[in-house]
Amino acid sequence: MGGVFQVLALDYLNPFWWVAVAILGFKLCALVDAASRREDAYRAADKKTKQFWLVILGLAFGLDLLFGVNPLYSILTLAGLAASIVYWVDVRPAIRQLTGRGGGGRSNSGPYGPW
């Protein structure tokens, strides 16, 4: 069983099912986040273009839907996971810092405004 049916099988007692769902969810989050960022922010952060990241992350997610998530034996799953991790820990923070959606910067801000 592979592809989308692997995730839809709902095998709650199988730990590999949980790993497959987590990997697929992480790749989807990275893809949605990359799609929601502005194009000029990628260039300003000196990272690859938005289209590059959308293609890479879209292929990573799409191939896992098509062929199934197998973190032990599939090089496609591991390569896509590595690309998603690189986006999440390198590209996303640089873009968030430039666009001001990083949460950092103001140290005197409380939950209801500055104090």
Side-chain angles (χ1 to χ4, degrees):
M1 189 182 319
V4 176
F5 298 111
Q6 176 187 9
V7 176
L8 295 177
L10 300 176
D11 192 6
Y12 294 123
L13 297 179
N14 185 357
F16 290 109
W17 181 83
W18 288 102
V19 171
V21 170
I23 288 174
L24 205 57
F26 181 70
K27 289 181 180 183
L28 180 63
C29 286
L31 178 63
V32 169
D33 187 75
S36 68
R37 305 293 175 181
R38 296 187 339 231
E39 169 65 35
D40 59 340
Y42 287 86
R43 289 190 306 260
D46 199 26
K47 303 296 178 187
K48 296 283 187 186
T49 63
K50 181 177 182 175
Q51 288 81 19
F52 172 82
W53 284 108
L54 288 177
V55 167
I56 294 296
L57 296 172
L59 280 174
F61 182 71
L63 289 175
D64 277 350
L65 281 180
L66 187 63
F67 295 118
V69 180
N70 189 349
L72 295 179
Y73 304 115
S74 176
I75 192 73
L76 292 175
T77 297
L78 296 177
L81 183 61
S84 298
I85 290 171
V86 166
Y87 173 79
W88 203 261
V89 300
D90 182 40
V91 178
R92 184 175 181 261
I95 292 173
R96 286 183 66 161
Q97 185 178 13
L98 287 175
T99 58
R101 294 195 302 186
R106 295 187 313 194
S107 61
N108 66 342
S109 180
Y112 303 108
W115 48 273

